[in-house]
mmCIF file of all heavy atoms in Angstrom:
data_model
loop_
_atom_site.group_PDB
_atom_site.id
_atom_site.type_symbol
_atom_site.label_atom_id
_atom_site.label_comp_id
_atom_site.label_asym_id
_atom_site.label_seq_id
_atom_site.Cartn_x
_atom_site.Cartn_y
_atom_site.Cartn_z
ATOM 1 N N GLN K 1 11.478 37.575 56.089
ATOM 2 C CA GLN K 1 11.365 38.822 56.832
ATOM 3 C C GLN K 1 9.908 39.229 56.974
ATOM 4 O O GLN K 1 9.105 39.044 56.062
ATOM 5 C CB GLN K 1 12.152 39.916 56.119
ATOM 6 C CG GLN K 1 12.285 41.210 56.892
ATOM 7 C CD GLN K 1 13.193 42.198 56.186
ATOM 8 O OE1 GLN K 1 13.415 42.104 54.982
ATOM 9 N NE2 GLN K 1 13.730 43.147 56.939
ATOM 10 N N ARG K 2 9.574 39.785 58.121
ATOM 11 C CA ARG K 2 8.231 40.306 58.322
ATOM 12 C C ARG K 2 8.007 41.523 57.423
ATOM 13 O O ARG K 2 8.877 42.387 57.302
ATOM 14 C CB ARG K 2 8.035 40.680 59.789
ATOM 15 C CG ARG K 2 6.608 41.026 60.154
ATOM 16 C CD ARG K 2 6.453 41.214 61.669
ATOM 17 N NE ARG K 2 6.793 40.003 62.408
ATOM 18 C CZ ARG K 2 6.650 39.861 63.716
ATOM 19 N NH1 ARG K 2 6.160 40.856 64.440
ATOM 20 N NH2 ARG K 2 7.001 38.730 64.305
ATOM 21 N N GLU K 3 6.846 41.587 56.801
ATOM 22 C CA GLU K 3 6.544 42.677 55.893
ATOM 23 C C GLU K 3 5.198 43.306 56.215
ATOM 24 O O GLU K 3 4.266 42.630 56.655
ATOM 25 C CB GLU K 3 6.547 42.196 54.432
ATOM 26 C CG GLU K 3 5.445 41.209 54.093
ATOM 27 C CD GLU K 3 5.372 40.868 52.615
ATOM 28 O OE1 GLU K 3 6.019 41.549 51.798
ATOM 29 O OE2 GLU K 3 4.650 39.903 52.268
ATOM 30 N N LEU K 4 5.121 44.596 55.975
ATOM 31 C CA LEU K 4 3.853 45.303 56.095
ATOM 32 C C LEU K 4 2.942 44.900 54.950
ATOM 33 O O LEU K 4 3.360 44.886 53.797
ATOM 34 C CB LEU K 4 4.082 46.812 56.070
ATOM 35 C CG LEU K 4 2.823 47.683 56.053
ATOM 36 C CD1 LEU K 4 2.074 47.576 57.374
ATOM 37 C CD2 LEU K 4 3.175 49.133 55.757
ATOM 38 N N VAL K 5 1.708 44.579 55.264
ATOM 39 C CA VAL K 5 0.716 44.234 54.259
ATOM 40 C C VAL K 5 -0.161 45.435 53.947
ATOM 41 O O VAL K 5 -0.318 45.831 52.792
ATOM 42 C CB VAL K 5 -0.151 43.044 54.710
ATOM 43 C CG1 VAL K 5 -1.221 42.744 53.672
ATOM 44 C CG2 VAL K 5 0.708 41.827 54.975
ATOM 45 N N GLU K 6 -0.743 46.017 54.985
ATOM 46 C CA GLU K 6 -1.641 47.146 54.815
ATOM 47 C C GLU K 6 -1.733 47.901 56.126
ATOM 48 O O GLU K 6 -1.661 47.313 57.201
ATOM 49 C CB GLU K 6 -3.025 46.669 54.363
ATOM 50 C CG GLU K 6 -3.877 47.734 53.704
ATOM 51 C CD GLU K 6 -4.985 47.168 52.824
ATOM 52 O OE1 GLU K 6 -5.092 45.929 52.706
ATOM 53 O OE2 GLU K 6 -5.751 47.967 52.257
ATOM 54 N N ALA K 7 -1.884 49.228 56.038
ATOM 55 C CA ALA K 7 -1.973 50.076 57.217
ATOM 56 C C ALA K 7 -3.104 51.072 57.054
ATOM 57 O O ALA K 7 -3.507 51.404 55.933
ATOM 58 C CB ALA K 7 -0.654 50.809 57.455
ATOM 59 N N ILE K 8 -3.590 51.567 58.182
ATOM 60 C CA ILE K 8 -4.695 52.511 58.175
ATOM 61 C C ILE K 8 -4.498 53.531 59.288
ATOM 62 O O ILE K 8 -4.157 53.182 60.415
ATOM 63 C CB ILE K 8 -6.047 51.773 58.307
ATOM 64 C CG1 ILE K 8 -7.223 52.747 58.190
ATOM 65 C CG2 ILE K 8 -6.106 50.975 59.613
ATOM 66 C CD1 ILE K 8 -8.567 52.051 58.017
ATOM 67 N N THR K 9 -4.698 54.797 58.971
ATOM 68 C CA THR K 9 -4.589 55.856 59.960
ATOM 69 C C THR K 9 -5.865 55.944 60.775
ATOM 70 O O THR K 9 -6.884 55.338 60.458
ATOM 71 C CB THR K 9 -4.328 57.217 59.302
ATOM 72 O OG1 THR K 9 -5.499 57.628 58.581
ATOM 73 C CG2 THR K 9 -3.139 57.149 58.350
ATOM 74 N N GLY K 10 -5.807 56.744 61.842
ATOM 75 C CA GLY K 10 -6.989 56.951 62.654
ATOM 76 C C GLY K 10 -8.146 57.541 61.869
ATOM 77 O O GLY K 10 -9.307 57.277 62.181
ATOM 78 N N GLY K 11 -7.824 58.329 60.844
ATOM 79 C CA GLY K 11 -8.840 58.946 60.020
ATOM 80 C C GLY K 11 -9.320 58.098 58.863
ATOM 81 O O GLY K 11 -10.227 58.519 58.140
ATOM 82 N N GLY K 12 -8.714 56.921 58.662
ATOM 83 C CA GLY K 12 -9.185 56.008 57.642
ATOM 84 C C GLY K 12 -8.380 55.984 56.354
ATOM 85 O O GLY K 12 -8.754 55.270 55.417
ATOM 86 N N THR K 13 -7.291 56.728 56.269
ATOM 87 C CA THR K 13 -6.418 56.664 55.104
ATOM 88 C C THR K 13 -5.635 55.358 55.113
ATOM 89 O O THR K 13 -5.098 54.965 56.150
ATOM 90 C CB THR K 13 -5.449 57.845 55.078
ATOM 91 O OG1 THR K 13 -6.190 59.066 55.067
ATOM 92 C CG2 THR K 13 -4.548 57.793 53.850
ATOM 93 N N THR K 14 -5.551 54.687 53.973
ATOM 94 C CA THR K 14 -4.922 53.378 53.903
ATOM 95 C C THR K 14 -3.780 53.348 52.898
ATOM 96 O O THR K 14 -3.717 54.164 51.975
ATOM 97 C CB THR K 14 -5.929 52.289 53.516
ATOM 98 O OG1 THR K 14 -6.445 52.563 52.203
ATOM 99 C CG2 THR K 14 -7.088 52.254 54.506
ATOM 100 N N ASN K 15 -2.871 52.405 53.091
ATOM 101 C CA ASN K 15 -1.890 52.059 52.084
ATOM 102 C C ASN K 15 -1.642 50.561 52.142
ATOM 103 O O ASN K 15 -1.986 49.905 53.129
ATOM 104 C CB ASN K 15 -0.591 52.865 52.212
ATOM 105 C CG ASN K 15 0.075 52.719 53.562
ATOM 106 O OD1 ASN K 15 0.337 51.608 54.034
ATOM 107 N ND2 ASN K 15 0.374 53.851 54.192
ATOM 108 N N TYR K 16 -1.039 50.018 51.087
ATOM 109 C CA TYR K 16 -0.919 48.577 50.965
ATOM 110 C C TYR K 16 0.213 48.242 50.013
ATOM 111 O O TYR K 16 0.642 49.075 49.211
ATOM 112 C CB TYR K 16 -2.234 47.971 50.462
ATOM 113 C CG TYR K 16 -2.794 48.686 49.252
ATOM 114 C CD1 TYR K 16 -2.354 48.391 47.969
ATOM 115 C CD2 TYR K 16 -3.759 49.680 49.406
ATOM 116 C CE1 TYR K 16 -2.852 49.059 46.866
ATOM 117 C CE2 TYR K 16 -4.264 50.353 48.307
ATOM 118 C CZ TYR K 16 -3.813 50.041 47.042
ATOM 119 O OH TYR K 16 -4.310 50.705 45.947
ATOM 120 N N ILE K 17 0.675 46.998 50.063
ATOM 121 C CA ILE K 17 1.692 46.538 49.138
ATOM 122 C C ILE K 17 1.029 46.068 47.850
ATOM 123 O O ILE K 17 -0.130 45.647 47.836
ATOM 124 C CB ILE K 17 2.558 45.422 49.745
ATOM 125 C CG1 ILE K 17 1.703 44.242 50.217
ATOM 126 C CG2 ILE K 17 3.390 45.980 50.884
ATOM 127 C CD1 ILE K 17 2.512 43.051 50.702
ATOM 128 N N ASP K 18 1.791 46.129 46.762
ATOM 129 C CA ASP K 18 1.236 45.833 45.449
ATOM 130 C C ASP K 18 0.698 44.409 45.344
ATOM 131 O O ASP K 18 -0.275 44.161 44.621
ATOM 132 C CB ASP K 18 2.285 46.062 44.363
ATOM 133 C CG ASP K 18 2.579 47.525 44.127
ATOM 134 O OD1 ASP K 18 1.751 48.378 44.508
ATOM 135 O OD2 ASP K 18 3.643 47.826 43.548
ATOM 136 N N SER K 19 1.306 43.472 46.041
ATOM 137 C CA SER K 19 0.918 42.072 45.912
ATOM 138 C C SER K 19 -0.489 41.779 46.434
ATOM 139 O O SER K 19 -1.058 40.741 46.093
ATOM 140 C CB SER K 19 1.931 41.166 46.609
ATOM 141 O OG SER K 19 1.980 41.427 48.000
ATOM 142 N N VAL K 20 -1.050 42.671 47.242
ATOM 143 C CA VAL K 20 -2.397 42.443 47.769
ATOM 144 C C VAL K 20 -3.418 43.417 47.195
ATOM 145 O O VAL K 20 -4.596 43.364 47.569
ATOM 146 C CB VAL K 20 -2.433 42.497 49.310
ATOM 147 C CG1 VAL K 20 -1.412 41.540 49.900
ATOM 148 C CG2 VAL K 20 -2.211 43.910 49.826
ATOM 149 N N LYS K 21 -3.000 44.273 46.286
ATOM 150 C CA LYS K 21 -3.903 45.253 45.693
ATOM 151 C C LYS K 21 -5.094 44.560 45.036
ATOM 152 O O LYS K 21 -4.930 43.621 44.262
ATOM 153 C CB LYS K 21 -3.162 46.098 44.661
ATOM 154 C CG LYS K 21 -4.019 47.176 44.015
ATOM 155 C CD LYS K 21 -3.225 47.970 42.997
ATOM 156 C CE LYS K 21 -4.076 49.036 42.325
ATOM 157 N NZ LYS K 21 -3.304 49.796 41.314
ATOM 158 N N GLY K 22 -6.284 45.030 45.361
ATOM 159 C CA GLY K 22 -7.489 44.459 44.799
ATOM 160 C C GLY K 22 -7.966 43.199 45.476
ATOM 161 O O GLY K 22 -9.038 42.685 45.133
ATOM 162 N N ARG K 23 -7.195 42.690 46.436
ATOM 163 C CA ARG K 23 -7.564 41.448 47.110
ATOM 164 C C ARG K 23 -7.793 41.643 48.613
ATOM 165 O O ARG K 23 -8.697 41.044 49.182
ATOM 166 C CB ARG K 23 -6.493 40.382 46.914
ATOM 167 C CG ARG K 23 -6.262 40.010 45.457
ATOM 168 C CD ARG K 23 -5.375 38.773 45.325
ATOM 169 N NE ARG K 23 -4.052 38.978 45.914
ATOM 170 C CZ ARG K 23 -3.566 38.267 46.930
ATOM 171 N NH1 ARG K 23 -4.275 37.289 47.474
ATOM 172 N NH2 ARG K 23 -2.334 38.512 47.387
ATOM 173 N N PHE K 24 -6.954 42.464 49.244
ATOM 174 C CA PHE K 24 -7.035 42.685 50.689
ATOM 175 C C PHE K 24 -7.545 44.092 50.975
ATOM 176 O O PHE K 24 -7.200 45.047 50.260
ATOM 177 C CB PHE K 24 -5.665 42.542 51.345
ATOM 178 C CG PHE K 24 -5.098 41.149 51.369
ATOM 179 C CD1 PHE K 24 -5.671 40.116 50.645
ATOM 180 C CD2 PHE K 24 -3.970 40.881 52.128
ATOM 181 C CE1 PHE K 24 -5.138 38.838 50.667
ATOM 182 C CE2 PHE K 24 -3.426 39.611 52.168
ATOM 183 C CZ PHE K 24 -4.005 38.583 51.435
ATOM 184 N N THR K 25 -8.315 44.232 52.036
ATOM 185 C CA THR K 25 -8.824 45.526 52.454
ATOM 186 C C THR K 25 -8.735 45.659 53.964
ATOM 187 O O THR K 25 -9.272 44.831 54.696
ATOM 188 C CB THR K 25 -10.284 45.728 52.020
ATOM 189 O OG1 THR K 25 -10.401 45.583 50.600
ATOM 190 C CG2 THR K 25 -10.764 47.122 52.416
ATOM 191 N N ILE K 26 -8.064 46.708 54.422
ATOM 192 C CA ILE K 26 -7.994 46.992 55.847
ATOM 193 C C ILE K 26 -9.097 47.981 56.212
ATOM 194 O O ILE K 26 -9.449 48.864 55.422
ATOM 195 C CB ILE K 26 -6.607 47.538 56.244
ATOM 196 C CG1 ILE K 26 -6.436 47.541 57.764
ATOM 197 C CG2 ILE K 26 -6.373 48.925 55.667
ATOM 198 C CD1 ILE K 26 -5.010 47.853 58.214
ATOM 199 N N SER K 27 -9.647 47.822 57.389
ATOM 200 C CA SER K 27 -10.653 48.746 57.886
ATOM 201 C C SER K 27 -10.575 48.787 59.399
ATOM 202 O O SER K 27 -9.924 47.946 60.024
ATOM 203 C CB SER K 27 -12.059 48.341 57.424
ATOM 204 O OG SER K 27 -12.409 47.064 57.924
#
C-alpha cells in the first residue's frame, strides 16, 4: 500500500512517519 512518508504545510510545519525519523527531511 502507498504510504505517507513526510508532509509539509505552506508555512513550513512538518510531520513524518516513525520509520524515517532522524533520517528523512522534507523542505
Side-chain angles (χ1 to χ4, degrees):
Q1 189 174 21
R2 189 173 299 185
E3 66 174 348
L4 174 68
V5 177
E6 200 159 359
I8 184 168
T9 69
T13 302
T14 63
N15 57 53
Y16 49 83
I17 56 174
D18 288 340
S19 63
V20 306
K21 182 180 179 181
R23 299 190 299 119
F24 291 11
T25 303
I26 193 171
S27 62

